[in-house]
Amino acid sequence: MLSTLSKKLCNDNMPKLSGNIYAIGRNYAAHAAELNNELPKEPLVFLMSPSSLREWEEGATAFQGETFHHEIELVLLVGEHSPCGSVPRLSSLTGITLGLDLTRREVQTQLKAKGHPWTTAKNFQGSAFVGTFHSLDSSIWETGITFSLDVNGETKQSGDSRLMLFPPKTILTHLLGYQDLYPGDLIFTGTPAGVGPVRHGDELVARSRELGIQLKGQV
Ligand code: ZN
């Protein structure tokens, strides 16, 4: 499948772009179920723009009157150029952190009902909330990475990378089927069950024991 796609879509003369933010939807079965979504047969990919990025410590978003949904996710940093159609290498993912894919859920539900793109629900100033990246050794995928999000002192989401429907190598295979990946590209790998509302001022704590990460921030 990769080679068929590659023949059709890969072209060496395309302009080189980096700083892309890919996000995978419905990558944990329990989360797909909580939003009454079907399980995807292949990775469900959407994009966020680099202008949606925000560091965990940076403070409030621009949308202080709005209720968002929190989606805690493992976020992967691409460290090497992988050409479109090339064989995926886990070693090309050189960094990892925890991030939030902040979602305007009501807006998304309305857009989905109309069959419209959900860009404005997912891509806005501060919607891609990331911690500092840690170096990534690809052997960690064998033992798995657990992670969690507390909101105002209560654990709302707990995840385990081994429960991903599409693990990192499958995500790479899929993305490389139709484009290059560049150093600096980010991949939000999907959120586990337990998404729910957060508002301006709520205290967030994200943790991963295996990654040695603890992040504190505010929406
Ligand atoms: Zn997400």
PDB file of all heavy atoms in Angstrom, residues 66-67 103-114 116-122 124:
ATOM      1  N   GLU A  66     -14.172  30.899  26.944  1.00  0.00           N
ATOM      2  CA  GLU A  66     -14.637  29.670  26.301  1.00  0.00           C
ATOM      3  C   GLU A  66     -14.302  28.420  27.122  1.00  0.00           C
ATOM      4  O   GLU A  66     -13.296  28.371  27.818  1.00  0.00           O
ATOM      5  CB  GLU A  66     -13.978  29.566  24.927  1.00  0.00           C
ATOM      6  CG  GLU A  66     -14.523  28.413  24.131  1.00  0.00           C
ATOM      7  CD  GLU A  66     -14.575  28.698  22.645  1.00  0.00           C
ATOM      8  OE1 GLU A  66     -14.223  29.823  22.224  1.00  0.00           O
ATOM      9  OE2 GLU A  66     -14.961  27.790  21.908  1.00  0.00           O
ATOM     10  N   THR A  67     -15.167  27.409  27.013  1.00  0.00           N
ATOM     11  CA  THR A  67     -14.866  26.108  27.616  1.00  0.00           C
ATOM     12  C   THR A  67     -14.258  25.217  26.539  1.00  0.00           C
ATOM     13  O   THR A  67     -14.835  25.059  25.470  1.00  0.00           O
ATOM     14  CB  THR A  67     -16.141  25.455  28.160  1.00  0.00           C
ATOM     15  OG1 THR A  67     -16.709  26.342  29.135  1.00  0.00           O
ATOM     16  CG2 THR A  67     -15.832  24.121  28.820  1.00  0.00           C
ATOM     17  N   THR A 103      -9.433  21.560  22.544  1.00  0.00           N
ATOM     18  CA  THR A 103     -10.470  21.417  21.523  1.00  0.00           C
ATOM     19  C   THR A 103     -11.702  22.226  21.892  1.00  0.00           C
ATOM     20  O   THR A 103     -12.172  22.163  23.034  1.00  0.00           O
ATOM     21  CB  THR A 103     -10.858  19.924  21.395  1.00  0.00           C
ATOM     22  OG1 THR A 103      -9.680  19.183  21.096  1.00  0.00           O
ATOM     23  CG2 THR A 103     -11.896  19.711  20.311  1.00  0.00           C
ATOM     24  N   ARG A 104     -12.221  22.971  20.931  1.00  0.00           N
ATOM     25  CA  ARG A 104     -13.512  23.637  21.121  1.00  0.00           C
ATOM     26  C   ARG A 104     -14.566  22.598  20.716  1.00  0.00           C
ATOM     27  O   ARG A 104     -14.946  22.496  19.559  1.00  0.00           O
ATOM     28  CB  ARG A 104     -13.595  24.877  20.239  1.00  0.00           C
ATOM     29  CG  ARG A 104     -12.461  25.868  20.536  1.00  0.00           C
ATOM     30  CD  ARG A 104     -12.302  26.878  19.425  1.00  0.00           C
ATOM     31  NE  ARG A 104     -13.328  27.913  19.515  1.00  0.00           N
ATOM     32  CZ  ARG A 104     -13.600  28.751  18.515  1.00  0.00           C
ATOM     33  NH1 ARG A 104     -12.950  28.663  17.371  1.00  0.00           N
ATOM     34  NH2 ARG A 104     -14.535  29.657  18.661  1.00  0.00           N
ATOM     35  N   ARG A 105     -14.991  21.786  21.704  1.00  0.00           N
ATOM     36  CA  ARG A 105     -15.766  20.589  21.363  1.00  0.00           C
ATOM     37  C   ARG A 105     -17.114  20.931  20.746  1.00  0.00           C
ATOM     38  O   ARG A 105     -17.565  20.261  19.819  1.00  0.00           O
ATOM     39  CB  ARG A 105     -15.968  19.716  22.614  1.00  0.00           C
ATOM     40  CG  ARG A 105     -16.601  18.371  22.313  1.00  0.00           C
ATOM     41  CD  ARG A 105     -15.646  17.388  21.624  1.00  0.00           C
ATOM     42  NE  ARG A 105     -14.597  16.964  22.531  1.00  0.00           N
ATOM     43  CZ  ARG A 105     -13.401  16.495  22.131  1.00  0.00           C
ATOM     44  NH1 ARG A 105     -13.097  16.397  20.857  1.00  0.00           N
ATOM     45  NH2 ARG A 105     -12.497  16.141  23.012  1.00  0.00           N
ATOM     46  N   GLU A 106     -17.758  21.980  21.271  1.00  0.00           N
ATOM     47  CA  GLU A 106     -19.080  22.313  20.711  1.00  0.00           C
ATOM     48  C   GLU A 106     -18.963  22.745  19.261  1.00  0.00           C
ATOM     49  O   GLU A 106     -19.762  22.366  18.411  1.00  0.00           O
ATOM     50  CB  GLU A 106     -19.739  23.422  21.533  1.00  0.00           C
ATOM     51  CG  GLU A 106     -20.325  22.894  22.831  1.00  0.00           C
ATOM     52  CD  GLU A 106     -20.754  24.026  23.768  1.00  0.00           C
ATOM     53  OE1 GLU A 106     -21.157  25.094  23.260  1.00  0.00           O
ATOM     54  OE2 GLU A 106     -20.669  23.827  24.987  1.00  0.00           O
ATOM     55  N   VAL A 107     -17.918  23.530  18.993  1.00  0.00           N
ATOM     56  CA  VAL A 107     -17.691  23.973  17.615  1.00  0.00           C
ATOM     57  C   VAL A 107     -17.404  22.751  16.735  1.00  0.00           C
ATOM     58  O   VAL A 107     -17.951  22.607  15.639  1.00  0.00           O
ATOM     59  CB  VAL A 107     -16.500  24.967  17.565  1.00  0.00           C
ATOM     60  CG1 VAL A 107     -16.134  25.323  16.129  1.00  0.00           C
ATOM     61  CG2 VAL A 107     -16.826  26.227  18.366  1.00  0.00           C
ATOM     62  N   GLN A 108     -16.593  21.821  17.274  1.00  0.00           N
ATOM     63  CA  GLN A 108     -16.247  20.636  16.489  1.00  0.00           C
ATOM     64  C   GLN A 108     -17.497  19.789  16.184  1.00  0.00           C
ATOM     65  O   GLN A 108     -17.669  19.303  15.063  1.00  0.00           O
ATOM     66  CB  GLN A 108     -15.214  19.791  17.241  1.00  0.00           C
ATOM     67  CG  GLN A 108     -14.682  18.640  16.385  1.00  0.00           C
ATOM     68  CD  GLN A 108     -13.896  17.631  17.198  1.00  0.00           C
ATOM     69  OE1 GLN A 108     -14.143  17.442  18.382  1.00  0.00           O
ATOM     70  NE2 GLN A 108     -12.947  16.989  16.562  1.00  0.00           N
ATOM     71  N   THR A 109     -18.352  19.628  17.195  1.00  0.00           N
ATOM     72  CA  THR A 109     -19.560  18.819  17.003  1.00  0.00           C
ATOM     73  C   THR A 109     -20.445  19.433  15.908  1.00  0.00           C
ATOM     74  O   THR A 109     -20.968  18.730  15.044  1.00  0.00           O
ATOM     75  CB  THR A 109     -20.333  18.721  18.332  1.00  0.00           C
ATOM     76  OG1 THR A 109     -19.439  18.176  19.314  1.00  0.00           O
ATOM     77  CG2 THR A 109     -21.543  17.808  18.221  1.00  0.00           C
ATOM     78  N   GLN A 110     -20.567  20.761  15.923  1.00  0.00           N
ATOM     79  CA  GLN A 110     -21.384  21.423  14.895  1.00  0.00           C
ATOM     80  C   GLN A 110     -20.772  21.250  13.505  1.00  0.00           C
ATOM     81  O   GLN A 110     -21.467  20.957  12.532  1.00  0.00           O
ATOM     82  CB  GLN A 110     -21.509  22.926  15.207  1.00  0.00           C
ATOM     83  CG  GLN A 110     -22.404  23.208  16.409  1.00  0.00           C
ATOM     84  CD  GLN A 110     -22.184  24.615  16.972  1.00  0.00           C
ATOM     85  OE1 GLN A 110     -21.517  25.449  16.361  1.00  0.00           O
ATOM     86  NE2 GLN A 110     -22.732  24.864  18.147  1.00  0.00           N
ATOM     87  N   LEU A 111     -19.440  21.400  13.431  1.00  0.00           N
ATOM     88  CA  LEU A 111     -18.774  21.267  12.131  1.00  0.00           C
ATOM     89  C   LEU A 111     -18.885  19.840  11.601  1.00  0.00           C
ATOM     90  O   LEU A 111     -19.140  19.617  10.418  1.00  0.00           O
ATOM     91  CB  LEU A 111     -17.291  21.668  12.255  1.00  0.00           C
ATOM     92  CG  LEU A 111     -17.027  23.153  12.523  1.00  0.00           C
ATOM     93  CD1 LEU A 111     -15.570  23.377  12.911  1.00  0.00           C
ATOM     94  CD2 LEU A 111     -17.380  23.997  11.295  1.00  0.00           C
ATOM     95  N   LYS A 112     -18.713  18.859  12.518  1.00  0.00           N
ATOM     96  CA  LYS A 112     -18.804  17.455  12.105  1.00  0.00           C
ATOM     97  C   LYS A 112     -20.206  17.137  11.577  1.00  0.00           C
ATOM     98  O   LYS A 112     -20.364  16.445  10.576  1.00  0.00           O
ATOM     99  CB  LYS A 112     -18.484  16.528  13.293  1.00  0.00           C
ATOM    100  CG  LYS A 112     -16.986  16.277  13.464  1.00  0.00           C
ATOM    101  CD  LYS A 112     -16.639  15.711  14.828  1.00  0.00           C
ATOM    102  CE  LYS A 112     -17.216  14.346  15.091  1.00  0.00           C
ATOM    103  NZ  LYS A 112     -16.812  13.856  16.443  1.00  0.00           N
ATOM    104  N   ALA A 113     -21.234  17.671  12.260  1.00  0.00           N
ATOM    105  CA  ALA A 113     -22.611  17.392  11.845  1.00  0.00           C
ATOM    106  C   ALA A 113     -22.876  17.906  10.432  1.00  0.00           C
ATOM    107  O   ALA A 113     -23.662  17.328   9.687  1.00  0.00           O
ATOM    108  CB  ALA A 113     -23.585  18.034  12.826  1.00  0.00           C
ATOM    109  N   LYS A 114     -22.197  18.986  10.069  1.00  0.00           N
ATOM    110  CA  LYS A 114     -22.387  19.541   8.718  1.00  0.00           C
ATOM    111  C   LYS A 114     -21.442  18.904   7.705  1.00  0.00           C
ATOM    112  O   LYS A 114     -21.488  19.254   6.522  1.00  0.00           O
ATOM    113  CB  LYS A 114     -22.124  21.051   8.741  1.00  0.00           C
ATOM    114  CG  LYS A 114     -23.165  21.858   9.493  1.00  0.00           C
ATOM    115  CD  LYS A 114     -22.814  23.345   9.400  1.00  0.00           C
ATOM    116  CE  LYS A 114     -23.662  24.168  10.344  1.00  0.00           C
ATOM    117  NZ  LYS A 114     -23.038  25.473  10.622  1.00  0.00           N
ATOM    118  N   HIS A 116     -18.282  19.465   7.678  1.00  0.00           N
ATOM    119  CA  HIS A 116     -17.264  20.469   7.372  1.00  0.00           C
ATOM    120  C   HIS A 116     -15.930  20.123   8.039  1.00  0.00           C
ATOM    121  O   HIS A 116     -15.897  19.383   9.021  1.00  0.00           O
ATOM    122  CB  HIS A 116     -17.724  21.842   7.872  1.00  0.00           C
ATOM    123  CG  HIS A 116     -18.854  22.412   7.108  1.00  0.00           C
ATOM    124  ND1 HIS A 116     -19.502  23.564   7.482  1.00  0.00           N
ATOM    125  CD2 HIS A 116     -19.476  21.997   5.979  1.00  0.00           C
ATOM    126  CE1 HIS A 116     -20.474  23.831   6.627  1.00  0.00           C
ATOM    127  NE2 HIS A 116     -20.479  22.892   5.708  1.00  0.00           N
ATOM    128  N   PRO A 117     -14.822  20.672   7.529  1.00  0.00           N
ATOM    129  CA  PRO A 117     -13.539  20.490   8.215  1.00  0.00           C
ATOM    130  C   PRO A 117     -13.620  21.065   9.627  1.00  0.00           C
ATOM    131  O   PRO A 117     -14.312  22.063   9.855  1.00  0.00           O
ATOM    132  CB  PRO A 117     -12.552  21.321   7.373  1.00  0.00           C
ATOM    133  CG  PRO A 117     -13.254  21.622   6.102  1.00  0.00           C
ATOM    134  CD  PRO A 117     -14.723  21.545   6.355  1.00  0.00           C
ATOM    135  N   TRP A 118     -12.901  20.437  10.579  1.00  0.00           N
ATOM    136  CA  TRP A 118     -13.017  20.900  11.958  1.00  0.00           C
ATOM    137  C   TRP A 118     -11.834  21.793  12.374  1.00  0.00           C
ATOM    138  O   TRP A 118     -11.547  21.946  13.552  1.00  0.00           O
ATOM    139  CB  TRP A 118     -13.240  19.718  12.901  1.00  0.00           C
ATOM    140  CG  TRP A 118     -12.147  18.688  13.016  1.00  0.00           C
ATOM    141  CD1 TRP A 118     -10.807  18.933  13.141  1.00  0.00           C
ATOM    142  CD2 TRP A 118     -12.309  17.268  13.088  1.00  0.00           C
ATOM    143  NE1 TRP A 118     -10.135  17.747  13.268  1.00  0.00           N
ATOM    144  CE2 TRP A 118     -11.029  16.702  13.234  1.00  0.00           C
ATOM    145  CE3 TRP A 118     -13.412  16.408  13.051  1.00  0.00           C
ATOM    146  CZ2 TRP A 118     -10.818  15.324  13.337  1.00  0.00           C
ATOM    147  CZ3 TRP A 118     -13.190  15.054  13.161  1.00  0.00           C
ATOM    148  CH2 TRP A 118     -11.918  14.522  13.295  1.00  0.00           C
ATOM    149  N   THR A 119     -11.202  22.421  11.391  1.00  0.00           N
ATOM    150  CA  THR A 119      -9.991  23.214  11.656  1.00  0.00           C
ATOM    151  C   THR A 119     -10.176  24.253  12.758  1.00  0.00           C
ATOM    152  O   THR A 119      -9.349  24.351  13.661  1.00  0.00           O
ATOM    153  CB  THR A 119      -9.529  23.918  10.363  1.00  0.00           C
ATOM    154  OG1 THR A 119      -9.426  22.927   9.345  1.00  0.00           O
ATOM    155  CG2 THR A 119      -8.194  24.609  10.560  1.00  0.00           C
ATOM    156  N   THR A 120     -11.257  25.012  12.729  1.00  0.00           N
ATOM    157  CA  THR A 120     -11.384  26.093  13.709  1.00  0.00           C
ATOM    158  C   THR A 120     -11.664  25.570  15.117  1.00  0.00           C
ATOM    159  O   THR A 120     -11.555  26.306  16.091  1.00  0.00           O
ATOM    160  CB  THR A 120     -12.497  27.098  13.316  1.00  0.00           C
ATOM    161  OG1 THR A 120     -13.703  26.366  13.079  1.00  0.00           O
ATOM    162  CG2 THR A 120     -12.114  27.875  12.077  1.00  0.00           C
ATOM    163  N   ALA A 121     -12.027  24.292  15.236  1.00  0.00           N
ATOM    164  CA  ALA A 121     -12.218  23.687  16.563  1.00  0.00           C
ATOM    165  C   ALA A 121     -10.907  23.208  17.162  1.00  0.00           C
ATOM    166  O   ALA A 121     -10.791  23.031  18.375  1.00  0.00           O
ATOM    167  CB  ALA A 121     -13.199  22.526  16.462  1.00  0.00           C
ATOM    168  N   LYS A 122      -9.921  22.995  16.316  1.00  0.00           N
ATOM    169  CA  LYS A 122      -8.673  22.366  16.748  1.00  0.00           C
ATOM    170  C   LYS A 122      -7.466  23.283  16.594  1.00  0.00           C
ATOM    171  O   LYS A 122      -6.414  23.026  17.168  1.00  0.00           O
ATOM    172  CB  LYS A 122      -8.419  21.114  15.892  1.00  0.00           C
ATOM    173  CG  LYS A 122      -9.361  19.958  16.192  1.00  0.00           C
ATOM    174  CD  LYS A 122      -8.968  19.296  17.498  1.00  0.00           C
ATOM    175  CE  LYS A 122      -9.629  17.950  17.692  1.00  0.00           C
ATOM    176  NZ  LYS A 122      -9.187  17.308  18.936  1.00  0.00           N
ATOM    177  N   PHE A 124      -6.164  27.021  16.827  1.00  0.00           N
ATOM    178  CA  PHE A 124      -6.320  28.421  17.224  1.00  0.00           C
ATOM    179  C   PHE A 124      -5.149  28.743  18.134  1.00  0.00           C
ATOM    180  O   PHE A 124      -4.404  27.841  18.532  1.00  0.00           O
ATOM    181  CB  PHE A 124      -7.669  28.662  17.927  1.00  0.00           C
ATOM    182  CG  PHE A 124      -7.973  27.667  19.011  1.00  0.00           C
ATOM    183  CD1 PHE A 124      -7.542  27.885  20.317  1.00  0.00           C
ATOM    184  CD2 PHE A 124      -8.671  26.491  18.731  1.00  0.00           C
ATOM    185  CE1 PHE A 124      -7.811  26.964  21.322  1.00  0.00           C
ATOM    186  CE2 PHE A 124      -8.951  25.580  19.730  1.00  0.00           C
ATOM    187  CZ  PHE A 124      -8.504  25.806  21.035  1.00  0.00           C
TER     188      PHE A 124
END
